[in-house]
Amino acid sequence: MPEDKNDLVSRLASPVVVACHDAGAANLLFAWLRDWARSGLLDDYVFRLVLGGPAEAAWGSLNMNLPHAEIYTELGRALQGANSVLTGTGWASSLEHDARKLASALRIPTTAVVDHWVNYPERFERGNEVVLPDEIWVADSYAAAIAGRLFKNVRVLELSNTYLQEQVKNIPAASDGSRTLLYVLEPLRMDWGRETPGEFQALDFFAQHLHLIVGSQPVQVMLRPHPSDQPHKYDDWAKDHPRLSIKIDLNTSLSQSIGQARWVVGAETFALVVANAAGRQTYSSLPPWAHRCRLPQQKIVHLCDLVEARNSTQTRW
């Protein structure tokens, strides 16, 4: 059961340092803070924000009225006199890891937000150094079970997924007449021994078997880069597939992008979870030689299963 938000806020001691870089955990954390601020629970709290990368961009686009919030550029300065620390658990920088490490040395309690269902131990490692938080916050029972099993000596708390609820609320019902497919991208950081980044292998597998999802009629494919992707990362791939009608989706709102689509495809990004909760037809594009999609939502269809079923039928005939 999700924790009561009044109890959660009471666990924080002001001033609170918030250190985030990657988008996933930042989106969860910002949604909780926004909800608590609207409820008046944060009126007496001071927040010191140390943000980078996608988290910094996400904060800048929120226009959020968080009382007594200050932006810091130096982590050490933000931690001076702080009494609690909230961090994300991203891959793309050491900011969050450094925040937990420095806070531990200063004996400041730390809480880390885990936004997904994979690679939990690696999130707390940099090189050979492991720095665990005092507490882990997750957003559903699946994640709570995983974290509880892996981190026996760390308290794990489940919170309501306010971010998911907000996203789904802003997505209109699907239009059966739409011929738009949204492909939500993410860096997969593995190549399964094929010397090509996994995200491009998944894209190639998707392009080869697109008809199993949309049928034989034309479709508009919208490629939505991940917040951590470099600009123009997928431009060459799009040019190499001229038979597909491809556009790069630069919409800042995930809800709006999903709202335009009838189908949503990706590897195992959280955006698939949002689309699935909004009632879209959702598919994992991970190829059969990759690991199986680890998202726990059972309504997400595995494209490799559709390929296997088709091949099995053709073999019988």
Side-chain angles (χ1 to χ4, degrees), residues 179-200:
R179 297 295 297 174
T180 297
L181 181 149
L182 176 67
Y183 192 108
V184 282
L185 293 149
E186 64 181 312
L188 293 177
R189 301 182 180 87
M190 59 191 76
D191 64 10
W192 307 296
R194 298 189 174 214
E195 300 183 353
T196 298
E199 55 266 37
F200 287 99

Side-chain angles (χ1 to χ4, degrees), residues 165-272:
Q165 295 164 5
E166 290 178 349
Q167 291 291 310
V168 171
K169 181 177 65 177
N170 295 323
I171 299 174
S175 170
D176 290 339
S178 171
R179 297 295 297 174
T180 297
L181 181 149
L182 176 67
Y183 192 108
V184 282
L185 293 149
E186 64 181 312
L188 293 177
R189 301 182 180 87
M190 59 191 76
D191 64 10
W192 307 296
R194 298 189 174 214
E195 300 183 353
T196 298
E199 55 266 37
F200 287 99
Q201 293 184 48
L203 267 174
D204 289 340
F205 183 69
F206 155 77
Q208 182 181 358
H209 302 291
L210 171 62
H211 62 283
L212 296 179
I213 298 175
V214 304
S216 59
Q217 297 300 312
V219 64
Q220 176 68 66
V221 176
M222 304 294 294
L223 296 183
R224 180 181 177 84
H226 190 270
S228 64
D229 282 327
Q230 293 296 315
H232 309 296
K233 177 177 177 178
Y234 299 98
D235 290 359
D236 288 342
W237 187 91
K239 292 176 183 177
D240 290 340
H241 293 78
R243 293 186 179 182
L244 297 180
S245 177
I246 298 175
K247 291 183 179 179
I248 304 297
D249 177 25
L250 300 178
N251 196 332
T252 58
S253 168
L254 175 62
S255 295
Q256 291 181 16
S257 294
I258 294 175
Q260 300 169 9
R262 178 176 174 182
W263 307 273
V264 180
V265 184
E268 53 183 6
T269 173
F270 183 78
L272 287 179

Side-chain angles (χ1 to χ4, degrees), residues 100-122:
R100 290 189 293 271
K101 180 180 178 180
L102 291 173
S104 178
L106 294 170
R107 298 187 177 181
I108 303 172
T110 59
T111 297
V113 177
V114 178
D115 59 288
H116 212 276
W117 299 270
V118 302
N119 302 325
Y120 283 22
E122 293 86 345

Side-chain angles (χ1 to χ4, degrees), residues 16 34 39 43 74 144 150 249 280 299:
V16 183
R34 182 165 55 244
S39 301
D43 290 350
E74 297 179 9
L150 292 173
D249 177 25
R280 293 304 190 269
K299 290 185 178 180

Side-chain angles (χ1 to χ4, degrees), residues 116-118 186 188 190 192 205 266-268 284-308:
H116 212 276
W117 299 270
V118 302
E186 64 181 312
L188 293 177
M190 59 191 76
W192 307 296
F205 183 69
E268 53 183 6
S284 170
S285 58
L286 284 170
W289 55 86
H291 62 271
R292 193 164 178 84
C293 174
R294 293 166 288 185
L295 297 176
Q297 288 71 26
Q298 296 183 358
K299 290 185 178 180
I300 296 175
V301 178
H302 299 257
L303 180 57
C304 60
D305 290 348
L306 298 183
V307 173
E308 182 180 3

